[in-house]
Amino acid sequence: MSLKVAVLACVAVVALCDKAPVHAPLPLVYTPRPYHAPEPAYHAPEPAYHAPEPAYHAPEPAYHAPEPAYHAPEPAYHATEPAYHAPAHYEPEYPDVPPKYNYNYGVADGYSGANFGHSESRDGYKTEGSYTVDLPDGRKQTVKYVDNGDGLVAEVSYEGEAQYPEHTPAYKPAPPAYA
């Protein structure tokens, strides 16, 4: 029974809330009529004075400048044609032979710790070589590669064991100034 009373109360609340609110009428407010200014009755008269035309006219100039009588002489110097001929465009010719070379280099700098090298040889389409580098973890990396014209084949190897020493910072922060 209490459920029916609760449902009926909800329906009544919804029905009452659905109506528009009723407000008291607004109070009357005085608004003056708009003001329209009358048309002006005064009209300015047309001017009766007319300025006279100027009586002075500038005379035409009596002096006419003569035509110039000077004519520049023809140059007495004639440039000669150069005695040489510009070289023909030379296109270098490169032989159609397969490349063949050998090279290598190495760097070992004790001050900076840099230690690396590279060597390569090529004969036609066959290229083979290797390079080495000391890694920061203490190992030495070696890469050997071969290319017979059908793609690069590389073999990577490492010497030694990686070392990761404990990091000890050298910087010590200053004590706080407000302590």
Side-chain angles (χ1 to χ4, degrees), residues 86-152:
H89 179 69
Y90 172 72
E91 190 69 36
E93 293 182 19
Y94 298 104
D96 288 336
V97 295
K100 186 174 185 176
Y101 62 84
N102 291 314
Y103 80 90
N104 62 32
Y105 68 88
V107 174
D109 184 16
Y111 179 75
S112 67
N115 188 8
F116 54 91
H118 186 195
S119 64
E120 181 174 293
S121 63
R122 182 171 181 180
D123 188 6
Y125 287 108
K126 183 175 182 175
T127 305
E128 53 186 48
S130 68
Y131 60 89
T132 61
V133 63
D134 285 353
L135 300 175
D137 62 6
R139 296 179 295 165
K140 183 176 196 174
Q141 180 186 34
T142 303
V143 178
K144 294 180 182 179
Y145 58 91
V146 176
D147 185 359
N148 293 320
D150 55 355
L152 182 73

